[in-house]
Amino acid sequence: MNDESENKMGSPTPEELRQQVERTRDELGQTVEALAGKADAKTQAKEKTAAAKKQAVEKTAELKEQAAEKTAAAKEQAVEKATAVKEQAAEKSAELKEQAAEKTAAVKEQAAAATAQIREKTAQAAQAVKDKTPEPVQEKTAQAATQVRESAARAGQFAVDRTPDPLLEKADRIAKAARANRTPLLAGGAVLVAFLLIRRGRGRNK
């Protein structure tokens, strides 16, 4: 009676204790499974994060490599294009220089031929005038030419004495250019003087 009263007053029976142990075991199992699941989820998250980081690093390295390859290819193309442009410019410049040299040579040749023709015609005209001019007239022509040269020399010296140095330098350049073509000029001057003397002689004879 006392035992039964004690059981009724709160002391668990063996069956109740067994049931409590079973419940506690189940609860502990669930708690362990929950903790294990949480731990597994954390592990999976860490693994996924590590995999994502690895993929990002690999992708970045790949993109950098592709960018470097494209940059190198672009630089190589730019160098090749610049080299081709320089070669084309050099070829064009050489071609233009050659054409200019050919044209210059042709112009010089034409000028030389024209100068030779002028000299030849001037010499022929001077010889023709000389052949048709009497000796007294030729002597007068020579004397007149001498007088003209002497007068020109005196006038030139007079001008030199009164001309500033810059003008003298310019006149010297002009004189050098004139001396380069003095043969046709002298011949033409001689022809003109002889022609005037002939006309004067004919006028006096009339």
Side-chain angles (χ1 to χ4, degrees):
M1 185 126 179
N2 291 331
D3 293 336
E4 292 178 357
S5 61
E6 288 179 359
N7 289 336
K8 291 180 180 178
M9 297 236 4
S11 296
T13 61
E15 181 63 22
E16 291 176 346
L17 289 173
R18 186 180 65 77
Q19 290 177 356
Q20 288 179 359
V21 169
E22 289 293 333
R23 285 197 298 273
T24 302
R25 185 180 296 170
D26 291 338
E27 291 175 356
L28 289 174
Q30 292 177 359
T31 302
V32 169
E33 288 180 358
L35 292 173
K38 290 182 179 180
D40 186 53
K42 289 182 179 179
T43 301
Q44 291 178 357
K46 288 182 179 180
E47 290 178 353
K48 289 180 179 179
T49 302
K53 287 182 178 179
K54 184 178 179 181
Q55 289 179 355
V57 171
E58 292 177 352
K59 189 67 175 179
T60 302
E62 183 181 356
L63 292 174
K64 286 183 178 179
E65 185 177 357
Q66 291 177 357
E69 291 177 355
K70 289 181 179 179
T71 302
K75 287 182 178 178
E76 185 177 358
Q77 290 178 357
V79 170
E80 292 177 353
K81 190 172 183 179
T83 303
V85 170
K86 287 182 179 179
E87 290 178 354
Q88 291 177 357
E91 292 176 357
K92 190 65 176 179
S93 178
E95 183 180 354
L96 292 175
K97 286 182 179 179
E98 185 178 357
Q99 291 177 357
E102 291 177 355
K103 289 182 180 179
T104 302
V107 170
K108 286 183 178 179
E109 185 177 354
Q110 292 175 358
T115 302
Q117 290 178 359
I118 292 171
R119 287 179 180 175
E120 184 178 357
K121 290 180 180 180
T122 303
Q124 291 175 357
Q127 186 63 39
V129 171
K130 185 177 179 181
D131 293 340
K132 295 179 180 180
T133 303
E135 291 183 2
V137 175
Q138 291 182 14
E139 292 177 0
K140 290 181 180 180
T141 302
Q143 292 175 359
T146 303
Q147 291 176 358
V148 169
R149 283 195 297 269
E150 292 175 354
S151 299
R154 288 194 297 271
Q157 187 61 42
F158 180 81
V160 168
D161 294 338
R162 287 166 176 74
T163 303
D165 291 340
L167 293 178
L168 287 175
E169 293 177 359
K170 187 173 182 181
D172 183 59
R173 290 194 296 269
I174 295 172
K176 288 180 180 178
R179 282 197 295 271
N181 297 316
R182 64 182 178 181
T183 300
L185 292 175
L186 290 175
V191 172
L192 179 60
V193 171
F195 177 73
L196 292 175
L197 290 174
I198 291 170
R199 289 189 61 183
R200 184 180 298 177
R202 289 181 179 176
R204 289 179 180 176
N205 293 330
K206 290 180 181 179

